[in-house]
Amino acid sequence: MRMALNALTLIPALALGACAGMREIPRPVYPAVDVAATGETTPVGSANADAADDPAIWRNTANPAASLILGTDKKAGLYVYGLDGKVRDFVAAGALNNVDLREARPGYVLVAASDRSDLAEPKIALFRLDGATGKLSSLGALPFLGAAHAPAEAYGFCMGKGLALGELARAYVVLKDGTVAESVLAEEAGRITARHLRSVKFATQSEGCVVDDRTGQLYVAEEDVGIWQVDLRAAMLKPLAFAMVGKEAGLVDDVEGLALAPEGRDGGMLVASSQGDNAYALFDLATAAPRGRFRIAAGRFGATSDTDGIELITGDFGPDWRGGLFVAQDGDNAPSAQNFKLLAWDAILRAVNEKNP
């Protein structure tokens, strides 16, 4: 059962654990089924570096096989890939960390990313994606906190749908100190603006986040602690413990990327990158109950390790991904630079369900 907790209450326990001897405690490795990747992207351009970070997926409803994947090179900018993994476009945009997109209105695909090029002034980098050509148009980078804020580094990022007339989307920037800032992205006189609304603070470094547009729930990964749920419909943003690091939830720190597999009005699953043991954990959205774990196995396209960002979109993506597409960053794609692996969501579900009938 989820409990209403203040994220700060977990710090004493974490600090005590850190002080229990000076040697590093080996991380656990929990059981998980193996699933092979179905494809991969061309490596990012920043070689010999921790560079690839976070993917987003645009599903072409008219022609699913022509859908597109976006991925950040946090040393250089933003890539667009086809489902064949080949580069369709690249925009040199600096240190972009996490990326998300929303179809703000019919035919208008708004792409946004956390911009950490300026470590004192967090910004949201904005782009428009042309689904027909796979090309990105840069719309600039917007500060959103105002002149009086303390220095802060933009880190994690996700978007939710606009909630009022004139809103293109809601943006959630996870600052490296654990603050999550909610802003409205709106169009005024042909320009996009960012207006900060409110914030919620987690005790330690956080990054991964995802918004369930159906239910108005924000999920945030506090890396060494676990996953929190925040009701965006409430007047005050209050974190609820969803799944904490440990054997019960099957999460090994760091907890990194988060993705959703919605089902019906409010059901489905949350997927999390359990980076500490190179696995991915599934949870029931309604109950937070663990639903299984998997790893991306070595095969034609290789295994994954140290995964940061993940993304998942259900639905038809063509012959190789009839039941949905799961994309995971690969932290060690040696001898090449880092890249993103593509998996069939229905293959993941089959493997997990066979292990956990």
Side-chain angles (χ1 to χ4, degrees):
M1 178 180 295
R2 276 168 285 176
M3 300 170 59
L5 296 176
N6 186 321
L8 296 171
T9 62
L10 295 181
I11 287 301
L14 291 173
L16 181 61
C19 294
M22 298 304 294
R23 66 183 184 278
E24 183 178 348
I25 300 174
R27 289 173 172 167
V29 177
Y30 299 131
V33 298
D34 287 339
V35 186
T38 317
E40 66 179 343
T41 68
T42 300
V44 298
S46 296
N48 303 315
D50 178 19
D53 195 88
D54 189 51
I57 302 170
W58 175 71
R59 181 172 177 268
N60 187 330
T61 55
N63 182 9
S67 299
L68 299 168
I69 300 164
L70 291 90
T72 58
D73 178 338
K74 60 189 177 186
K75 309 294 185 182
L78 185 60
Y79 283 90
V80 181
Y81 304 96
L83 295 187
D84 59 1
K86 295 179 180 178
V87 176
R88 296 288 193 272
D89 197 16
F90 172 74
V91 175
L96 304 185
N97 209 55
N98 285 189
V99 63
D100 202 358
L101 59 83
R102 283 292 185 277
E103 194 147 354
R105 56 177 179 265
Y108 190 111
V109 183
L110 178 65
V111 178
S114 52
D115 186 342
R116 58 195 296 201
S117 300
D118 184 340
L119 299 182
E121 179 72 80
K123 295 178 182 178
I124 301 170
L126 298 170
F127 309 86
R128 182 172 179 178
L129 174 66
D130 185 326
T133 64
K135 301 301 183 182
L136 287 168
S137 301
S138 178
L139 303 177
L142 302 179
F144 56 92
L145 286 181
H149 74 87
E153 180 180 348
Y155 202 47
F157 183 80
C158 56
M159 283 199 289
K161 66 180 180 181
L163 300 179
L165 185 65
E167 293 185 8
L168 296 174
R170 293 282 175 100
Y172 300 87
V173 180
V174 185
L175 306 178
K176 204 164 188 179
D177 69 355
T179 300
V180 181
E182 179 185 42
S183 298
V184 169
L185 299 180
E187 196 168 30
E188 299 177 4
R191 296 176 60 253
I192 297 179
T193 60
R195 177 170 56 88
H196 178 244
L197 292 179
R198 54 186 178 170
S199 297
V200 59
K201 179 75 166 63
F202 296 91
T204 60
Q205 182 170 302
S206 305
E207 182 178 4
C209 68
V210 66
V211 177
D212 190 338
D213 285 335
R214 303 167 306 160
T215 61
Q217 303 300 304
L218 168 70
Y219 299 89
V220 178
E222 188 177 1
E223 295 184 359
D224 293 336
V225 178
I227 303 168
W228 300 89
Q229 178 178 350
V230 181
D231 189 348
L232 299 174
R233 303 165 302 180
M236 298 291 292
L237 299 181
K238 185 177 182 181
L240 300 175
F242 184 85
M244 298 293 105
V245 164
K247 186 175 182 180
E248 183 177 351
L251 290 173
V252 182
D253 59 308
D254 293 346
V255 184
E256 290 284 343
L258 302 178
L260 295 173
E263 185 177 322
R265 294 182 61 184
D266 56 8
M269 284 187 281
L270 175 75
V271 187
S273 169
S274 177
Q275 191 187 75
D277 71 340
N278 299 322
Y280 309 88
L282 281 61
F283 301 92
D284 187 280
L285 277 172
T287 65
R291 294 282 296 274
R293 306 175 84 248
F294 70 96
R295 289 188 175 90
I296 299 177
R300 177 185 174 190
F301 299 103
T304 58
S305 60
D306 300 320
T307 293
D308 286 328
I310 60 174
E311 182 60 294
L312 166 62
I313 301 292
T314 57
D316 181 13
F317 280 83
D320 292 327
W321 303 281
R322 291 296 187 195
L325 176 63
F326 178 84
V327 179
Q329 180 260 4
D330 186 6
D332 184 2
N333 189 44
S336 300
Q338 295 177 343
N339 72 345
F340 301 90
K341 300 294 194 272
L342 284 60
L343 284 83
W345 176 238
D346 51 6
I348 293 171
L349 289 181
R350 280 196 303 271
V352 170
N353 290 337
E354 287 173 4
K355 182 70 174 181
N356 304 280

